[in-house]
């Protein structure tokens, strides 16, 4: 069976027998990846690559028994195991596309391209990504229960970032879109996004990243992000001009009992990836290209070798995922999910939450987005969002108007 090994060098692969033990996996890593068994620390916990503990061996002990069958640890075909090691090693490079035949005259572009080295970025600018539990659950519940992970779905993450680069996601805005099994087309509405950004600003928040799902068919593929996903993520990251911009994926993974668990992962694209995208290096629509690779328009140097095909993992920097409970709820119906929202939804929501203080009843981004269509974006929305941000009483005039809007149904 194939086991994926993620280390600081990216995602690599080894093959072992289905009944293999931890020790057999260690031997395969030594033979194929040139990391001695004595220098390996393995774990099924991705925090192995994020922890700053001086004693990792004491913190990550789930794979310290060489005789333990991999199956007893929930490791099966396609599973990811995390590897930490000290020192340096020689890594086999990707397939080489020669830069040019002997005697060929090189242009200035060729010379510049030969100096472009694809290198891994060790640390993200976004040191962690924390999801409001309600916001994350509302997104994953929809794609799991309603879409069954059969088509892709995406949304913009909004929240805050501190000076250390810790990002807090407080709500997810889902723009109009069309998802298929392999692609996600965003049908962005500039006017609606203007309302979203105004609400976020009033709440002291901003757009901080993009989240999307991978379909069940992708779970069987041997990549972290496909070339299509890398390009879309790079496009949105470049548009943001935000150093701590994060990209999150949600997918199904097979658990030990053979069932499926929803799994979140977070990354930043490397600075180099975003720069290359801005400069037009990514080639689109390359026939028969392995989806784990991105084709460059010029030769680049990877691990001392010239190539045009870059493993997408070179562009990914792992980000630690956390969760928290914010001030916003996510109980109001969510926009752009096929059924248009109306004031009837407002009436139902207010009746359901009538035992709560009024500011709590409207502390939901998706409700505020609906209300923004009935209030002035420059004068009224800031007053409503300030009340929500500070959790102070809503001015009587606004409460009267909102109740009046709901009573029309």
């Amino acid at each position: 069976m194939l086991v994926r090994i993620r280390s600081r060098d990216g995602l690599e692969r080894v093959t072992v027998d289905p009944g293999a033990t931890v020790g057999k996996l260690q031997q395969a890593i030594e033979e194929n990846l040139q990391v001695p068994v004595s220098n390996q620390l393995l774990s099924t916990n991705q925090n192995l690559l994020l922890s700053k503990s001086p004693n990792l061996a004491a913190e990550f002990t789930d794979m310290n028994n060489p005789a333990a069958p991999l199956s007893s640890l929930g490791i099966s075909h396609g599973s990811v195991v995390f590897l930490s090691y000290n020192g340096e090693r020689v890594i086999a490079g990707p397939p080489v596309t020669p830069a040019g035949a002997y005697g060929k005259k090189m242009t200035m572009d060729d010379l510049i391209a030969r100096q472009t080295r694809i290198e891994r970025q060790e640390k993200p600018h976004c040191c962690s990504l924390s999801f409001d539990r309600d916001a994350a659950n509302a997104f994953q519940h929809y794609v799991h229960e309603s879409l069954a992970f059969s088509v892709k779905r995406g949304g913009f993450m909004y929240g805050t970032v501190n000076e250390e680069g810790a990002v807090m996601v407080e709500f997810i805005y889902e723009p109009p879109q069309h998802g298929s099994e392999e692609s996600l087309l965003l049908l962005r509405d500039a006017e609606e996004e203007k309302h979203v950004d105004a609400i976020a600003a009033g709440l002291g928040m901003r757009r901080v990243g993009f989240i999307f799902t991978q379909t069940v068919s992708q779970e069987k593929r041997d990549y972290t992000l496909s070339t299509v996903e890398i390009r879309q993520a790079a496009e949105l990251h470049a548009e943001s001009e935000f150093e701590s911009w994060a990209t999150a994926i949600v997918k199904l993974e097979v658990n030990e009992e053979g069932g499926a668990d929803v799994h979140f992962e977070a990354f930043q694209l490397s600075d180099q990836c975003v720069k290359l995208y801005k400069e037009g290096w990514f080639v689109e629509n390359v026939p028969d290209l392995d989806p784990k690779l991105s084709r460059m328009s010029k030769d680049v140097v990877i691990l001392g070798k010239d190539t045009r095909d870059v493993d997408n993992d070179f562009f990914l920097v792992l980000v630690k995922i956390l969760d928290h409970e914010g001030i916003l709820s996510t109980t109001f119906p969510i926009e752009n999910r096929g059924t248009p929202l109306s004031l009837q939804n407002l009436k139902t929501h207010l009746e359901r939450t009538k035992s709560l203080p009024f500011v709590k009843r409207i502390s939901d981004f998706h409700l505020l987005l609906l209300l923004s269509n009935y209030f002035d974006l420059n004068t009224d929305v800031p007053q409503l969002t300030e009340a929500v941000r500070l959790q102070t009483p809503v001015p009587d005039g606004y409460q009267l108007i909102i109740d009046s809007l709901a009573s029309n149904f």
Side-chain angles (χ1 to χ4, degrees):
M1 66 182 183
L2 181 146
V3 179
R4 294 180 282 184
I5 308 298
R6 180 176 288 284
S7 70
R8 68 188 192 216
D9 304 309
L11 192 68
E12 298 168 283
R13 301 141 187 98
V14 297
T15 302
V16 295
D17 292 331
T21 61
V22 170
K24 290 293 184 183
L25 176 61
Q26 289 177 311
Q27 292 174 17
I29 292 173
E30 180 175 79
E31 293 170 5
N32 294 277
L33 307 185
Q34 292 77 52
V35 180
V37 171
S38 60
N39 196 17
Q40 296 176 25
L41 178 59
L42 300 178
S43 177
T44 57
N45 186 344
Q46 71 171 7
N47 288 327
L48 174 66
L49 303 183
L50 298 169
S51 176
K52 300 186 184 300
S53 170
N55 189 2
L56 292 176
E59 185 177 351
F60 299 92
T61 60
D62 57 317
M63 296 185 68
N64 63 359
N65 180 8
L70 296 179
S71 58
S72 70
L73 300 171
I75 299 171
S76 59
H77 180 76
S79 293
V80 176
V81 171
F82 298 89
L83 164 67
S84 175
Y85 69 92
N86 296 318
E88 302 295 330
R89 67 185 174 106
V90 178
I91 309 169
V96 176
T97 302
Y102 174 76
K104 179 183 176 182
K105 184 177 180 180
M106 298 191 70
T107 66
M108 183 59 68
D109 281 347
D110 291 332
L111 291 171
I112 294 172
R114 286 176 66 85
Q115 296 172 359
T116 302
R117 287 171 168 76
I118 304 297
E119 298 176 339
R120 298 189 187 281
Q121 183 172 315
E122 291 296 324
K123 295 182 180 180
H125 301 292
C126 169
C127 67
S128 63
L129 186 70
S130 181
F131 281 95
D132 173 85
R133 297 185 194 98
D134 285 349
N137 185 62
F139 185 77
Q140 68 88 13
H141 185 270
Y142 177 68
V143 297
H144 191 189
E145 300 298 327
S146 299
L147 303 181
F149 281 93
S150 59
V151 297
K152 296 174 77 68
R153 184 77 183 171
F156 288 108
M157 302 184 292
Y158 281 78
T160 60
V161 58
N162 66 16
E163 292 180 357
E164 287 73 39
V167 173
M168 307 277 282
V169 177
E170 303 297 349
F171 68 84
I172 298 170
Y173 160 64
E174 299 175 25
Q177 58 195 273
H178 175 71
S180 69
E181 192 174 20
E182 298 290 340
S183 64
L184 176 62
L185 177 63
L186 299 181
L187 307 171
R188 296 174 64 176
D189 182 333
E191 185 60 28
E192 186 171 80
E193 288 189 27
K194 180 180 176 182
H195 285 233
V196 175
D197 290 338
I199 293 167
L203 294 171
M205 303 174 191
R206 60 156 297 153
R207 192 177 299 185
V208 294
F210 185 66
I211 184 171
F212 66 92
T213 60
Q214 291 185 327
T215 59
V216 287
S217 63
Q218 289 181 280
E219 198 273 331
K220 303 171 185 176
R221 309 286 180 83
D222 189 20
Y223 57 73
T224 308
L225 263 65
S226 71
T227 181
V228 173
E229 291 168 342
I230 282 283
R231 287 201 310 272
Q232 184 170 47
E235 177 185 8
L236 296 173
H237 191 147
E239 174 192 305
S240 75
E241 298 289 348
F242 180 48
E243 187 177 61
S244 296
W245 181 270
T247 298
I249 60 175
V250 185
K251 59 184 179 179
L252 279 182
E253 288 193 345
V254 178
N255 59 31
E256 297 177 19
E257 289 76 34
D261 294 327
V262 178
H263 184 67
F264 283 71
E265 288 186 352
F267 305 92
Q268 269 204 294
L269 298 187
S270 67
D271 296 341
Q272 185 179 42
C273 174
V274 177
K275 180 175 183 290
L276 291 174
Y277 180 83
K278 286 181 176 180
E279 295 176 355
W281 283 62
F282 284 79
V283 179
E284 299 184 26
N285 305 319
V286 181
D288 302 320
L289 180 67
D290 189 325
K292 72 181 180 184
L293 303 174
S294 289
R295 174 71 52 84
M296 301 290 104
S297 60
K298 306 170 188 175
D299 290 303
V300 295
V301 179
I302 300 180
L303 304 171
K305 298 181 179 180
D306 296 338
T307 183
R308 291 198 176 193
D309 294 340
V310 181
D311 190 317
N312 294 325
D313 279 352
F314 272 97
F315 294 136
L316 300 178
V317 190
L318 196 62
V319 172
K320 182 191 301 184
I321 285 189
L322 305 170
D323 65 1
H324 66 276
E325 183 177 348
I327 62 170
L328 300 178
S329 63
T330 311
T331 57
F332 193 77
I334 293 174
E335 63 284 342
N336 300 317
R337 287 187 173 179
T339 303
L341 301 184
S342 70
L343 293 176
Q344 176 62 56
N345 300 108
L346 175 64
K347 179 180 181 180
T348 302
H349 175 85
L350 292 179
E351 288 176 347
R352 188 177 67 248
T353 58
K354 59 186 176 182
S355 63
L356 298 175
F358 196 79
V359 68
K360 288 287 186 185
R361 298 165 76 188
I362 67 165
S363 293
D364 186 312
F365 158 74
H366 308 285
L367 180 148
L368 291 172
L369 183 57
L370 176 68
L371 288 180
S372 71
N373 296 315
Y374 300 91
F375 287 98
D376 186 276
L377 208 58
N378 298 313
T379 57
D380 300 326
V381 169
Q383 293 198 57
L384 285 172
T385 52
E386 181 180 22
V388 170
R389 178 173 63 86
L390 300 175
Q391 290 294 286
T392 54
V394 176
D396 290 339
Y398 289 111
Q399 180 172 342
L400 184 65
I401 295 172
I402 293 170
D403 283 334
S404 175
L405 288 171
S407 67
N408 288 334
F409 282 83

